[in-house]
Amino acid sequence: MSEKTFPSHARVVIVGGGVMGVGLAYHLAHEGWGHDTVLLEKAELTSGSTWHAAGQITHSTSSYGLGKCVDYNIGLYSGGLEAETGQAVTWHGCGSFRLAYTEDEMDWLRHTLSVGRSLGFNIDLVSPQRVAELHPFYNLDGVLGALHTPDDGHVDPTNVTMALAAAARAKGVRIIRRCRASNITQLASGEWQVETDQGTITCEHVVNAGGTYARQMGEWSGLQLPMTSMTHHYFVTENVPEFEALDRELPVIRDDKKVSGYIRMEQKRGLIGIYEKANPNAVWLDECPWDYENWLFDADYDRVMPWLEESLNRMPVLAERGITREVHGAISHPPDGNPLIGPAPGVRNYWCCCGTQIGIGWGPGLTRELARWMVHGAADISMRDYDPRRFGSYATKEWQVIKAKEDYCLRHEIPFPHFNRLAGRPVKPSPLYDRLKSKGAVYEEVYGHERPRWFAKEGIAQHDHYGFGRTPVHDVVGDECRAVREAAGIMDISAFTKVELSGPEAESLLDRLVANRLPRKTGGIALTHMLNAAGRIELETTVVRLASDRFYLVCAAFFEQRLLDHLDRHRGTADVTVTLRSNDWAALTLNGPRSRDILAACTDAPLDNAAFPWLTAQEITVADHSLWAFRMSYAGELGWEFHMPRDAALAVYDALWASGAPLGLADYGSFAMNAMRMEKGFKGAGELTNEVTLAEADVLRFARTDKEYIGREATLAPARRFVCAYLEITPDGAHDGHGGEAVLLQGKVVGSTASVAYGHSCGKILAFAYVRPDANVAGTEVEVVIAGTPRPARILGAPAYDPEGLLPRTDAAQIPA
């Protein structure tokens, strides 16, 4: 193909030539698709947001998956990319500090240290004195400590992108500059057609790497890709005389509390970056102008002045220096701050590689995972936090702006576990929202739905309490767990995804998508998993047979679009009707030894084991409303789930509450639900990810060898890399852990935790962890690094609560004395 000939076809077309688009081209080439990939850029490479990035990157992250990406990126920048291409990337390996002024910040750093240990990072928690030794110019008044990550640094964004482009070209990628795309449409064949000012190109896969243009590019194809352009400042000072005599570069300082940003050297000058915590600035709400190139806005000193002044107080050597460069550029912010990396919702082979607010820091690692996803069908890290399908139609433009502003203001705040982002809510309240809120419900948002987390009681204010250590919520959750274990508890679970499959070929379609055997009889219930061709887990779902040709699927809320897309991708010409019930049906769960007594007072249906066996479903009447009752329990107790039209939910709840209150019925939320599922050893979303097979997740008992299904061969292969272990950890009364912590065997890292919760019924911290297979032996003594300190732990061979699983199957009330 001549360089001057515009291609008519390609396997992959990437639209956008910033670090994300070029990074994906580079990694697709390394996965073998280089000669089949074309990248289009409307101007010059990096001319959107990439060129004006400050270019910092740090190992200081509490996210296990993102930590893997960051570590890869630093290795790439610090030597790998230059060695591959011979092209300089201008890496400055100066290290960095993240400062802490409060005990909450120190706890954050301790947790980050624990995660870093599991990833093998060069990371340490140091005193202010050590900071002063390596950075004598920073005012450390009030600083309690700092996280030191010596392998961090910063890099020239343009040089990095050009080096990635050179490597991609060397492996066959065609990069076409000064080629503006104007439309992306899907043909009847399923292929994508990209129209440009140089011609039209047809491809199997199209990638939106449009940066600040990505949202409006999505609209060409009828897609809603949630992100908003927010502007961010950094300033470069005059030369600093005190820097002239230095024989090394000072570490980057990340000062979240005082500066709300970062300060570093830029050659012999100072560079100050600020994420102001008030009046954040959103731009281009309708569309980013197409003729903008290397665009910057005028500096808005009024907006950033409080933090700029404090940065000069913190770094006095900069106070007398003038500002020689003002960089005020636009960056994409999705509603939750995480990029959109993966399949676009509702279509095939349209991939998102956009919405990245920290492209240099996160980009190459995430684009490597996207390339693996596209080529092999699965990424090697959990992509749940980045999957574009985590948002639904509720993510309107107005809501996107509200959430992007919220995210910008939180950019340099402590990322507390379970931090509840309240802006723009509620979006999809359940029919019980007001009733439960009046009873103290503290809500969380899941896929737009409001779900109770916990119920505030007298003496504890009805707002979230945050901390890396235990908070007052710990005891409240304990009370909720005890109520379920000793009497009964009721929870609004309307947020679950609810999908109905019907039609003459519904059974055959579902049977080849799930690893477990489908329920054979009407009313049967099965827990099963849908897999991809690589045998990795797409999602876990409960399947209920409502009739011979009708099935009801229930799964976690954030899997809704993934489930719909998976069904659509594999249905072919099957005569099947897919009906989404999530928004017009509600659901409740009733659990505990008194649950049969409570339900019996509200229905004429017989509820004994003979009439209503474990893991079966029946249509019954409660409070004059017909509903589906499923005898199952995520809490591991005698219990039922009730699924019904929305307009029935309040009456059903009131009836159950009226009969249950005298018997000790209590409301409970997702925090208690999680603690109880951990006591029962039930795997959840933290364990069942696209990273693992059923064997590695230790749920192979839900797979069958006597049937064919997608991913079967890979699923039935033994776990080779790691396996999910179940641990109990000795409590210290202050910190319980939050996931991602290192697991040590004889002092050496053998894995990391996935989920951690305190088991109120057994008085132990419980965890699932992915460890080397040889370490997963019941009774093995290990350690888990919690809050920076190794804690004794032991591998369990059975659930910590009701190990034989008798309580959910009980036929008579078993009330503790």
Side-chain angles (χ1 to χ4, degrees), residues 418-437:
H418 311 295
F419 186 81
N420 213 351
R421 298 186 176 208
L422 300 176
R425 292 172 50 191
V427 178
K428 294 195 288 187
S430 87
L432 302 179
Y433 180 81
D434 291 331
R435 177 66 52 81
L436 299 183
K437 194 170 183 64

Side-chain angles (χ1 to χ4, degrees), residues 658-687:
S659 67
L663 302 179
L665 180 65
D667 293 296
Y668 72 99
S670 65
F671 283 5
M673 177 178 69
N674 183 60
M676 288 186 287
R677 71 100 181 175
M678 293 292 293
E679 291 176 335
K680 282 297 299 172
F682 293 158
K683 309 294 195 308
E687 296 73 54

Side-chain angles (χ1 to χ4, degrees), residues 767-784:
F768 286 116
Y770 276 98
V771 301
R772 290 190 334 226
D774 61 285
N776 187 31
V777 178
T780 299
E781 301 292 332
V782 295
E783 292 179 305
V784 178

Side-chain angles (χ1 to χ4, degrees), residues 375-390:
V375 175
H376 306 296
D380 283 349
I381 70 168
S382 173
M383 299 300 286
R384 170 185 165 183
D385 290 340
Y386 317 114
D387 193 326
R389 298 169 295 181
R390 68 187 185 272

Side-chain angles (χ1 to χ4, degrees), residues 3 22 25-26 29 34-35 37 39 44-45 85 87 161-177:
E3 283 296 315
V22 176
Y26 170 87
H35 290 281
T37 298
L39 184 146
E44 297 293 338
L45 300 182
T85 64
Q87 186 164 328
T161 308
M162 295 307 177
L164 290 168
R169 286 190 183 100
K171 288 185 173 292
V173 174
R174 177 85 181 274
I175 297 177
I176 305 175
R177 298 171 295 117

Side-chain angles (χ1 to χ4, degrees), residues 640-710:
W640 280 264
E641 286 186 11
F642 309 108
H643 292 249
M644 69 208 86
R646 283 178 61 90
D647 59 7
L650 189 57
V652 171
Y653 172 85
D654 285 344
L656 293 170
W657 186 263
S659 67
L663 302 179
L665 180 65
D667 293 296
Y668 72 99
S670 65
F671 283 5
M673 177 178 69
N674 183 60
M676 288 186 287
R677 71 100 181 175
M678 293 292 293
E679 291 176 335
K680 282 297 299 172
F682 293 158
K683 309 294 195 308
E687 296 73 54
L688 305 175
T689 76
N690 60 267
E691 298 169 278
V692 296
T693 65
L694 297 181
E696 290 165 339
D698 193 28
V699 289
L700 200 54
R701 64 189 180 280
F702 296 109
R704 292 291 175 262
T705 60
D706 59 350
K707 56 170 283 191
E708 293 296 325
Y709 51 89
I710 293 171

Side-chain angles (χ1 to χ4, degrees), residues 791-809:
R791 195 88 61 78
R794 182 170 62 91
I795 305 289
L796 296 177
Y801 180 80
D802 186 25
E804 295 180 353
L806 300 178
L807 293 179
R809 298 170 172 81

